Amino acid sequence: MGQQPVSELVQQASHQLTELVRGELRLAQAEMTEKGKRYGKGGGLFGGAGIVGFLALQALVATAIAGLAVVLPVWASALIVTGVLGVIAAVMTASGKKQFGKAAPASPAQTIENVKADVAEIKESARR
């Protein structure tokens, strides 16, 4: 039988493994490129929806002013709607500030404590 030397078999296996890895990397790159395009399109659509939603909110504010203007002067209606929006903004600002306060500090405190405990355990194990 025509058996190949072990060195040649190892070389063939190495070459085949290299080609397999390269093929898988090309497949992964193509897949990620396609997913990136879809994420880009989705992000653009979300951005467009945000703009249209913002315009709808502006139209709603104008409608509220116009509705109040039926029973009040236009300036009073606008002042009332502006005041309500200001109160909503103030409440949202206070809530956001509270959330930022809960998130501080920006470092991962629990992870740092776990790493310190791990280092101490490793040092203790090394002393034994």
Side-chain angles (χ1 to χ4, degrees):
M1 290 195 171
Q3 292 184 345
Q4 298 174 323
V6 173
S7 63
E8 192 175 312
L9 291 173
V10 169
Q11 185 179 10
Q12 283 179 347
S14 175
H15 177 71
Q16 288 174 349
L17 182 61
T18 301
E19 287 301 313
L20 178 64
V21 169
R22 285 181 182 160
E24 291 296 330
L25 287 174
R26 283 192 296 270
L27 178 61
Q29 183 181 15
E31 185 179 351
M32 293 308 293
T33 299
E34 182 64 29
K35 285 186 178 193
K37 288 179 184 176
R38 291 185 187 269
Y39 277 123
K41 287 179 184 176
L45 290 170
F46 273 128
I51 290 170
V52 171
F54 181 68
L55 292 173
L57 184 61
Q58 289 178 330
L60 180 64
V61 168
T63 302
I65 292 170
L68 283 173
V70 171
V71 293
L72 297 171
V74 175
W75 67 267
S77 302
L79 185 63
I80 291 170
V81 171
T82 301
V84 169
L85 291 173
V87 168
I88 292 171
V91 169
M92 290 175 75
T93 299
S95 296
K97 185 175 179 183
K98 183 185 258 186
Q99 290 301 316
F100 273 123
K102 288 180 181 178
S107 61
Q110 185 64 44
T111 302
I112 291 170
E113 290 301 317
N114 289 345
V115 169
K116 286 179 180 178
D118 292 345
V119 168
E121 182 67 30
I122 291 168
K123 284 181 181 178
E124 184 64 32
S125 296
R127 289 182 189 148
R128 293 183 211 160

